[in-house]
Amino acid sequence: MTSLILKNSKPISLEDESFRSNLLNIASRIDNVIPLGRGDPDFHTPQHIVEAAKKALDDNLHHYTVPSGVEELREAISENFKKKFNLNYSKEEIIVTATKKAQSLQSIAGTVQAIAETDLKKAQVVNMEDYAKLIPSMSYINYTPGTGKVYFRGIADDNGTFISEESTAIYLDEQPVTQSGMAPDIRIVDINRIEALSGPQGSLYGSSAQSGTIRIIPNKPDTSEFAASVDVTMRMSAVNPRNEDSWDVSGVVNVPISDNFAIRVVGFTAEDGGFVDNIEGLSPRFGLNKNTDINPGAVREDVNTFKTTGGRVYAQWDLEDGSGSILAGAAFQNNASDGYSNFDPTVGDLQKIAFYDEPRDDDWTQLSLTVEKDLGWAKLISATSYFDRDIFYQQDRTTYSSYFGSFCYGYYAYVSRYCFQPAGVHYSYNDVPGWQDLFQWNSAKTQEFRLSNQSDDLDWVFGLFYQEREEGWDFHTM
């Protein structure tokens, strides 16, 4: 038999019909005061009783003690009672590593928000734009499909440049993947949790953590059991005329090889159908050129289709003595879009006039090795990674060059390289359709050693961090 022990009173049996009746009365008659006639006299109102019951279920022994049978207690309280008072009886604890050591989320003094895997799935989070909707202090500017900028508390750098340093650091597990200009949009598939640390993070995260840090923690290989899952999502266009349909397919396989070694493989591919049409029209401002005369292939429907493909492979060895593990991983992703999602409302709804296609291709690969070892007096973590990213994109510069034409006559036309006219020519107008493309490459090698210890009297972290990063750009105007 399971009992609730009310302070200064005898146990109340869950099988006591009067007690069960009182609970149901509280649920249905919230405005009534129901004195139980025993126990602490301060807890006679329904709201007080609810708060006390909630503390009991959370194992807070201040008012009630639940020695056993929490499941029976849940059954004793009706579903109506739970919904009425918005009680959550879940005892799931989220362990985060935001402070570079494993801690319960509730015990961290700083501002940390962690979204666990179950909540990510319920919210149908698949990319950073979806995730940003769950974090009040976080903003995400996605001006190009598959990439964008992450901001915390409104602290922002330029969201359109390809050379400025990020104001938010992004980590995939223990390794940084922060890049200048545009953050990689990591697909949220088989992710254990995402930790959002708002505000400056100091030396724990260093570079690019002025406004905050995002930590994406994937699920690790599990040696206890084989597991596999497949997720398929289809989204059909409901407008007339129809836009392109969208779909998303992902799969996860966890394979234990032995008692202390397992492999986990994740794969995904998705397509977001285009919905912006490029229609026939004249160049802006002067209107001297028509796009179907210059490049008829650019005029078509659904020019902003986006595709992503990628996967992760992790292998983990657990040390025989249970004092640590070695985790090796490889992650890769390709984001490719046929064009931007911008349109011109003066032309038409979800329509624009462009002379050239604006494709974008973004490839990145990460190799990682994480070693954890309990030394007795401290925990040692070594995190090694190599990150490589290659980006190509093309932009229609026709509109830009047309409105820049005000400066492209007289002496300025001879000395400016941005007038898009033959050398020595200085028209009083500048209606020259064309495009520009950019090749960007980034690579980074990082190594971090970290020692930490937690005790009743003192918590401490000591670490060394090294990073070698190379970035380059080739910019061409046609």
Side-chain angles (χ1 to χ4, degrees), residues 20 22 33 71 103 122 128 220 240 275 305 354 447 472:
R20 293 166 61 90
N22 279 334
V33 176
E71 291 300 327
Q103 288 180 280
K122 288 179 182 178
M128 196 63 71
K220 304 301 191 299
N240 188 20
F275 52 86
T305 301
Q447 174 63 58

Side-chain angles (χ1 to χ4, degrees), residues 127-410:
N127 53 34
M128 196 63 71
E129 185 176 15
D130 295 334
Y131 175 69
K133 298 174 184 177
L134 306 179
I135 306 298
S137 61
M138 177 180 167
S139 301
Y140 185 74
I141 306 298
N142 186 16
Y143 62 94
T144 305
T147 188
K149 290 276 191 174
V150 180
Y151 304 129
F152 279 98
R153 298 179 177 176
I155 302 174
D157 55 287
D158 183 5
N159 73 316
T161 183
F162 54 83
I163 58 175
S164 66
E165 191 72 14
E166 294 287 330
S167 63
T168 300
I170 299 178
Y171 279 68
L172 180 57
D173 204 13
E174 293 286 348
Q175 290 78 18
V177 294
T178 312
Q179 299 289 296
S180 296
M182 292 167 287
D185 192 357
I186 299 172
R187 196 74 174 177
I188 310 301
V189 178
D190 193 42
I191 298 300
N192 179 268
R193 67 184 183 278
I194 303 180
E195 301 172 3
L197 295 78
S198 57
Q201 298 305 308
S203 59
L204 279 181
Y205 292 97
S207 176
S208 296
Q210 294 91 338
S211 70
T213 297
I214 292 289
R215 300 188 74 242
I216 301 172
I217 313 298
N219 284 315
K220 304 301 191 299
D222 185 0
T223 59
S224 64
E225 62 178 356
F226 172 85
S229 65
V230 176
D231 189 355
V232 179
T233 302
M234 296 291 296
R235 298 186 298 276
M236 312 297 290
S237 174
V239 300
N240 188 20
R242 284 173 55 84
N243 293 320
E244 290 185 336
D245 298 327
S246 303
W247 48 268
D248 187 343
V249 180
S250 62
V252 181
V253 178
N254 182 88
V255 183
I257 306 300
S258 66
D259 292 340
N260 65 334
F261 177 63
I263 296 176
R264 193 177 190 92
V265 180
V266 179
F268 55 85
T269 181
E271 178 175 317
D272 293 337
F275 52 86
V276 176
D277 300 335
N278 186 29
I279 66 173
E280 181 181 24
L282 300 175
S283 54
R285 194 177 184 189
F286 299 106
L288 301 180
N289 295 285
K290 181 183 288 187
N291 55 5
T292 51
D293 295 335
I294 302 296
N295 183 23
V299 178
R300 54 190 175 87
E301 297 180 345
D302 304 328
V303 297
N304 61 323
T305 301
F306 169 70
K307 299 178 182 178
T308 183
T309 303
R312 296 189 301 272
V313 180
Y314 286 112
Q316 179 167 307
W317 294 265
D318 295 330
L319 301 183
E320 295 287 351
D321 59 0
S323 62
S325 62
I326 300 174
L327 176 67
F332 64 94
Q333 186 171 327
N334 171 261
N335 292 329
S337 61
D338 293 340
Y340 290 83
S341 298
N342 62 300
F343 63 94
D344 187 349
T346 63
V347 174
D349 184 30
L350 299 177
Q351 293 180 334
K352 64 180 180 180
I353 298 174
F355 281 70
Y356 295 94
D357 291 333
E358 297 181 299
R360 178 186 178 85
D361 190 82
D362 185 349
D363 279 292
W364 62 262
T365 302
Q366 184 206 50
L367 304 177
S368 61
L369 179 67
T370 304
V371 179
E372 299 186 22
K373 173 68 175 177
D374 189 350
L375 304 178
W377 55 277
K379 183 177 182 179
L380 170 67
I381 295 181
S382 170
T384 308
S385 70
Y386 173 76
F387 184 82
D388 180 80
R389 188 182 187 193
D390 296 298
I391 304 172
F392 165 78
Y393 62 85
Q394 178 177 296
Q395 294 175 322
D396 185 343
R397 62 152 181 81
T398 304
T399 301
Y400 173 83
S401 60
S402 295
Y403 285 94
F404 202 81
S406 300
F407 303 95
C408 290
Y409 57 90

Side-chain angles (χ1 to χ4, degrees), residues 75-90:
E75 294 175 3
I77 302 177
S78 68
E79 288 298 321
N80 185 39
F81 183 77
K82 296 178 186 178
K83 294 176 182 178
K84 190 93 173 181
F85 299 103
N86 193 28
L87 296 181
N88 179 13
Y89 303 118
S90 174

